Each structure stands twice: as structure tokens, then as C-alpha cells.
Coordinates of all heavy atoms in Angstrom, one line a residue:
A1 N -55.1 -11.4 -20.3 CA -55.9 -11.3 -21.7 C -57.2 -10.8 -21.5 O -57.8 -9.8 -22.2 CB -55.8 -12.6 -22.3
R2 N -57.9 -11.3 -20.6 CA -59.3 -11.0 -20.3 C -59.5 -9.5 -19.8 O -60.3 -8.9 -20.2 CB -60.0 -11.9 -19.4 CG -61.4 -11.8 -19.4 CD -62.4 -13.0 -19.0 NE -63.7 -12.5 -19.1 CZ -64.7 -13.4 -19.0 NH1 -64.5 -14.6 -18.5 NH2 -66.0 -13.0 -19.2
T3 N -58.6 -9.2 -19.0 CA -58.6 -7.9 -18.5 C -58.2 -6.8 -19.5 O -59.0 -5.7 -19.6 CB -57.4 -7.7 -17.3 OG1 -57.8 -8.4 -16.2 CG2 -57.4 -6.2 -16.8
A4 N -57.6 -7.1 -20.5 CA -57.2 -6.2 -21.6 C -58.3 -6.1 -22.7 O -58.6 -5.2 -23.2 CB -56.0 -6.7 -22.3
L5 N -58.9 -7.4 -22.9 CA -59.9 -7.6 -24.1 C -61.4 -7.2 -23.7 O -62.1 -6.9 -24.5 CB -59.6 -8.8 -24.7 CG -58.2 -9.2 -25.2 CD1 -58.1 -10.5 -25.7 CD2 -57.9 -8.1 -26.3
D6 N -61.7 -7.7 -22.6 CA -63.1 -7.4 -22.1 C -63.8 -6.1 -22.3 O -64.9 -5.9 -22.6 CB -63.5 -8.0 -20.7 CG -63.8 -9.4 -20.8 OD1 -63.6 -10.2 -21.8 OD2 -64.1 -10.1 -19.7
P7 N -62.9 -5.0 -22.0 CA -63.4 -3.7 -22.2 C -63.7 -3.4 -23.7 O -64.5 -2.4 -23.9 CB -62.3 -2.8 -21.6 CG -61.5 -3.7 -20.7 CD -61.6 -5.0 -21.2
L8 N -63.2 -4.1 -24.6 CA -63.6 -3.8 -26.1 C -64.9 -4.1 -26.4 O -65.7 -3.5 -27.2 CB -62.5 -4.5 -26.9 CG -61.2 -4.3 -26.6 CD1 -60.3 -5.3 -27.6 CD2 -60.7 -2.9 -27.0
K9 N -65.4 -5.2 -25.8 CA -66.9 -5.8 -26.1 C -67.1 -6.9 -25.1 O -66.2 -7.6 -24.7 CB -67.2 -6.1 -27.5 CG -66.3 -7.4 -27.9 CD -66.7 -7.7 -29.4 CE -68.2 -8.1 -29.6 NZ -68.6 -8.5 -30.9
P10 N -68.3 -7.2 -24.7 CA -68.7 -8.4 -24.0 C -68.2 -9.7 -24.7 O -68.5 -9.9 -25.8 CB -70.0 -8.4 -23.7 CG -70.5 -7.0 -23.9 CD -69.5 -6.5 -25.1
L11 N -67.3 -10.4 -24.1 CA -66.8 -11.7 -24.7 C -67.1 -12.9 -24.0 O -67.1 -13.0 -22.7 CB -65.2 -11.6 -24.9 CG -64.8 -10.4 -25.7 CD1 -63.3 -10.3 -25.5 CD2 -65.0 -10.6 -27.1
F12 N -67.3 -14.0 -24.7 CA -67.4 -15.3 -24.1 C -66.1 -16.1 -24.1 O -65.5 -16.1 -25.1 CB -68.5 -16.2 -24.8 CG -68.5 -17.5 -24.4 CD1 -69.1 -17.9 -23.2 CD2 -68.2 -18.6 -25.3 CE1 -69.1 -19.2 -22.9 CE2 -68.3 -19.9 -24.9 CZ -68.7 -20.3 -23.6
W13 N -65.7 -16.8 -23.0 CA -64.4 -17.5 -22.9 C -64.7 -18.8 -22.5 O -65.1 -19.0 -21.4 CB -63.5 -16.7 -21.8 CG -63.2 -15.3 -22.2 CD1 -63.9 -14.2 -22.2 CD2 -61.8 -14.9 -22.7 NE1 -63.1 -13.1 -22.5 CE2 -61.9 -13.5 -22.9 CE3 -60.7 -15.5 -22.9 CZ2 -60.8 -12.7 -23.3 CZ3 -59.6 -15.0 -23.5 CH2 -59.7 -13.5 -23.5
L14 N -64.3 -19.7 -23.3 CA -64.4 -21.2 -23.2 C -63.1 -21.8 -23.1 O -62.2 -21.6 -24.0 CB -65.1 -21.8 -24.4 CG -65.0 -23.3 -24.5 CD1 -65.8 -24.0 -23.3 CD2 -65.8 -23.9 -25.8
A15 N -62.7 -22.6 -22.0 CA -61.3 -23.2 -21.9 C -61.5 -24.8 -22.2 O -62.5 -25.4 -21.7 CB -60.9 -23.0 -20.4
E16 N -60.6 -25.2 -23.0 CA -60.4 -26.6 -23.2 C -59.6 -27.0 -22.0 O -58.4 -27.1 -22.1 CB -59.8 -26.8 -24.6 CG -59.8 -28.5 -24.7 CD -58.8 -28.9 -25.8 OE1 -57.9 -28.1 -26.2 OE2 -58.9 -30.0 -26.3
T17 N -60.3 -27.3 -20.9 CA -59.5 -27.8 -19.7 C -60.7 -28.4 -18.8 O -61.9 -28.1 -19.0 CB -58.8 -26.8 -18.9 OG1 -58.1 -27.4 -18.0 CG2 -59.7 -25.6 -18.4
E18 N -60.4 -29.2 -17.8 CA -61.2 -29.4 -16.7 C -60.6 -29.2 -15.4 O -61.0 -29.7 -14.4 CB -61.9 -31.0 -16.8 CG -63.2 -31.0 -16.1 CD -63.9 -32.3 -16.4 OE1 -63.3 -33.4 -16.7 OE2 -65.1 -32.2 -16.6
D19 N -59.6 -28.3 -15.4 CA -58.9 -27.7 -14.2 C -59.9 -26.6 -13.9 O -59.8 -25.5 -14.4 CB -57.6 -27.3 -14.5 CG -56.9 -26.7 -13.3 OD1 -57.6 -26.4 -12.4 OD2 -55.6 -26.6 -13.2
L20 N -60.7 -26.8 -12.7 CA -61.6 -25.9 -12.4 C -61.1 -24.6 -11.8 O -61.7 -23.5 -11.7 CB -62.7 -26.4 -11.3 CG -63.4 -27.7 -11.8 CD1 -64.4 -28.1 -11.0 CD2 -64.0 -27.5 -13.2
H21 N -59.8 -24.6 -11.5 CA -59.2 -23.4 -11.0 C -59.2 -22.2 -12.2 O -59.2 -21.1 -11.9 CB -57.7 -23.5 -10.7 CG -57.4 -24.5 -9.5 ND1 -57.3 -25.7 -9.5 CD2 -57.5 -24.1 -8.1 CE1 -57.2 -26.3 -8.2 NE2 -57.3 -25.3 -7.5
Y22 N -59.3 -22.8 -13.3 CA -59.3 -21.7 -14.5 C -60.6 -21.1 -14.6 O -60.7 -20.2 -15.5 CB -58.7 -22.4 -15.8 CG -57.4 -22.6 -16.0 CD1 -56.6 -23.5 -15.2 CD2 -56.7 -21.8 -16.9 CE1 -55.2 -23.7 -15.3 CE2 -55.3 -21.9 -17.0 CZ -54.4 -22.8 -16.2 OH -53.2 -22.8 -16.3
L23 N -61.6 -21.5 -13.9 CA -63.0 -20.9 -14.1 C -63.0 -19.6 -13.2 O -64.1 -18.9 -13.1 CB -64.0 -21.8 -13.6 CG -64.3 -23.1 -14.5 CD1 -65.2 -24.0 -13.9 CD2 -64.7 -22.5 -15.9
D24 N -61.8 -19.1 -12.5 CA -61.8 -17.8 -12.1 C -61.7 -16.8 -13.2 O -61.8 -15.6 -13.0 CB -60.9 -17.6 -11.0 CG -59.4 -17.8 -11.4 OD1 -59.1 -18.1 -12.6 OD2 -58.4 -17.6 -10.4
V25 N -61.3 -17.4 -14.4 CA -61.2 -16.6 -15.6 C -62.2 -16.8 -16.6 O -62.8 -15.9 -17.2 CB -59.7 -16.7 -16.2 CG1 -59.6 -15.7 -17.3 CG2 -58.6 -16.4 -15.2
F26 N -62.4 -18.2 -16.9 CA -63.2 -18.6 -17.9 C -64.6 -18.8 -17.7 O -65.0 -18.9 -16.5 CB -62.7 -20.0 -18.5 CG -61.3 -19.9 -19.3 CD1 -60.2 -19.9 -18.7 CD2 -61.3 -19.5 -20.7 CE1 -59.0 -19.6 -19.4 CE2 -60.3 -19.3 -21.4 CZ -59.0 -19.4 -20.7
D27 N -65.6 -18.6 -18.5 CA -67.0 -18.8 -18.4 C -67.5 -20.3 -18.4 O -68.5 -20.6 -17.8 CB -67.7 -17.9 -19.3 CG -67.3 -16.5 -19.4 OD1 -67.2 -16.0 -18.2 OD2 -67.0 -16.0 -20.5
S28 N -66.7 -21.0 -19.1 CA -67.1 -22.5 -19.3 C -65.9 -23.4 -19.7 O -64.9 -22.9 -20.1 CB -68.0 -22.7 -20.5 OG -68.5 -24.0 -20.7
C29 N -65.9 -24.7 -19.2 CA -64.8 -25.5 -19.6 C -65.4 -27.0 -19.9 O -66.7 -27.1 -19.6 CB -63.8 -25.6 -18.4 SG -64.2 -26.4 -17.0
Y30 N -64.6 -27.8 -20.3 CA -65.1 -29.1 -20.8 C -65.6 -30.0 -19.7 O -65.0 -30.0 -18.7 CB -63.9 -29.8 -21.6 CG -63.7 -29.4 -22.9 CD1 -63.8 -28.0 -23.4 CD2 -63.5 -30.3 -23.9 CE1 -63.6 -27.6 -24.7 CE2 -63.2 -29.9 -25.3 CZ -63.4 -28.7 -25.6 OH -63.2 -28.2 -27.0
A31 N -66.6 -30.8 -20.0 CA -67.1 -31.8 -19.1 C -66.5 -33.1 -19.6 O -67.2 -34.1 -19.9 CB -68.6 -31.8 -19.2
W32 N -65.2 -33.2 -19.7 CA -64.5 -34.4 -20.1 C -64.9 -35.7 -19.2 O -65.1 -36.7 -19.8 CB -62.9 -34.3 -20.2 CG -62.5 -33.8 -21.3 CD1 -62.7 -34.1 -22.7 CD2 -61.4 -32.9 -21.6 NE1 -61.9 -33.5 -23.6 CE2 -61.1 -32.8 -22.9 CE3 -60.5 -32.2 -20.7 CZ2 -60.1 -32.0 -23.4 CZ3 -59.6 -31.4 -21.1 CH2 -59.2 -31.2 -22.5
R33 N -65.0 -35.4 -17.9 CA -65.1 -36.5 -16.9 C -66.4 -37.1 -17.2 O -66.6 -38.5 -17.2 CB -65.0 -36.1 -15.5 CG -63.6 -35.8 -15.0 CD -63.5 -35.4 -13.6 NE -64.1 -34.1 -13.5 CZ -64.6 -33.6 -12.3 NH1 -64.6 -34.2 -11.2 NH2 -65.1 -32.4 -12.2
W34 N -67.4 -36.3 -17.6 CA -68.8 -36.8 -17.9 C -68.8 -37.7 -19.1 O -69.3 -38.7 -19.3 CB -69.8 -35.6 -18.1 CG -71.1 -36.1 -18.5 CD1 -71.6 -35.8 -19.8 CD2 -72.1 -36.9 -17.8 NE1 -72.9 -36.5 -20.0 CE2 -73.2 -37.1 -18.8 CE3 -72.2 -37.4 -16.5 CZ2 -74.4 -37.7 -18.3 CZ3 -73.4 -38.0 -16.2 CH2 -74.5 -38.2 -17.1
M35 N -68.1 -37.1 -20.3 CA -68.0 -37.9 -21.5 C -67.4 -39.3 -21.2 O -67.9 -40.3 -21.7 CB -67.1 -37.0 -22.5 CG -67.1 -37.8 -23.8 SD -65.7 -37.1 -24.8 CE -64.3 -37.9 -23.8
H36 N -66.1 -39.4 -20.4 CA -65.5 -40.6 -20.2 C -66.3 -41.5 -19.4 O -66.5 -42.8 -19.6 CB -64.2 -40.3 -19.5 CG -63.3 -39.6 -20.5 ND1 -63.0 -40.1 -21.8 CD2 -62.3 -38.5 -20.2 CE1 -62.2 -39.3 -22.5 NE2 -61.8 -38.3 -21.5
A37 N -67.1 -40.9 -18.4 CA -67.9 -41.7 -17.5 C -69.0 -42.4 -18.2 O -69.5 -43.4 -18.0 CB -68.3 -40.9 -16.3
T38 N -69.7 -41.6 -19.1 CA -70.8 -42.3 -19.8 C -70.2 -43.3 -20.9 O -71.0 -44.3 -21.1 CB -71.6 -41.1 -20.6 OG1 -70.8 -40.3 -21.4 CG2 -72.4 -40.2 -19.6
E39 N -69.2 -43.0 -21.5 CA -68.5 -44.1 -22.3 C -68.4 -45.3 -21.5 O -68.8 -46.6 -21.9 CB -67.2 -43.6 -22.8 CG -67.3 -42.7 -23.9 CD -65.9 -42.5 -24.5 OE1 -65.4 -43.1 -25.5 OE2 -65.2 -41.4 -24.0
K40 N -67.9 -45.3 -20.3 CA -67.7 -46.5 -19.5 C -69.1 -47.0 -19.1 O -69.2 -48.4 -19.1 CB -67.0 -46.1 -18.1 CG -65.5 -45.8 -18.3 CD -64.8 -45.4 -17.0 CE -64.9 -46.5 -16.0 NZ -64.1 -46.1 -14.7
Y41 N -70.1 -46.3 -18.8 CA -71.3 -46.8 -18.5 C -72.0 -47.6 -19.7 O -72.4 -48.6 -19.4 CB -72.3 -45.7 -18.1 CG -73.8 -46.2 -17.8 CD1 -74.1 -46.9 -16.7 CD2 -74.6 -46.1 -18.8 CE1 -75.4 -47.4 -16.5 CE2 -76.0 -46.7 -18.7 CZ -76.2 -47.3 -17.5 OH -77.5 -47.8 -17.3

């Protein structure tokens, strides 16, 4: 998808995930672990 669509215009890609393997494609992903850790704190 990114290979096909990025040539159209510069795009920002946000992933709802914290699987860091997806950051070879996405620009940003969720900091869920931080959210849960601060709740615990």
C-alpha cells in the first residue's frame, strides 16, 4: 500500500499497534505499554 500510494503525495502513516516490526513501514505506532505502565504507577 505504501509503495503504491506514497508517490501520489507525501503521506503520514500511523499504526495502531506496538509490534515494532511494523515500523519498517509505519512512521509512528502506539505507546500502549507506557499508558498501561503509568496507570499501574
Side-chain angles (χ1 to χ4, degrees):
R2 188 153 190 183
T3 299
L5 299 175
D6 272 8
L8 302 176
K9 67 179 295 188
L11 298 169
F12 171 69
W13 294 76
L14 168 64
E16 186 197 15
T17 188
E18 206 164 35
D19 182 339
L20 301 188
H21 293 95
Y22 279 71
L23 290 175
D24 65 354
V25 182
F26 288 90
D27 303 312
S28 179
C29 73
Y30 277 42
W32 268 321
R33 285 181 295 162
W34 171 254
M35 184 200 70
H36 293 309
T38 51
E39 285 185 90
K40 289 179 65 176
Y41 174 80

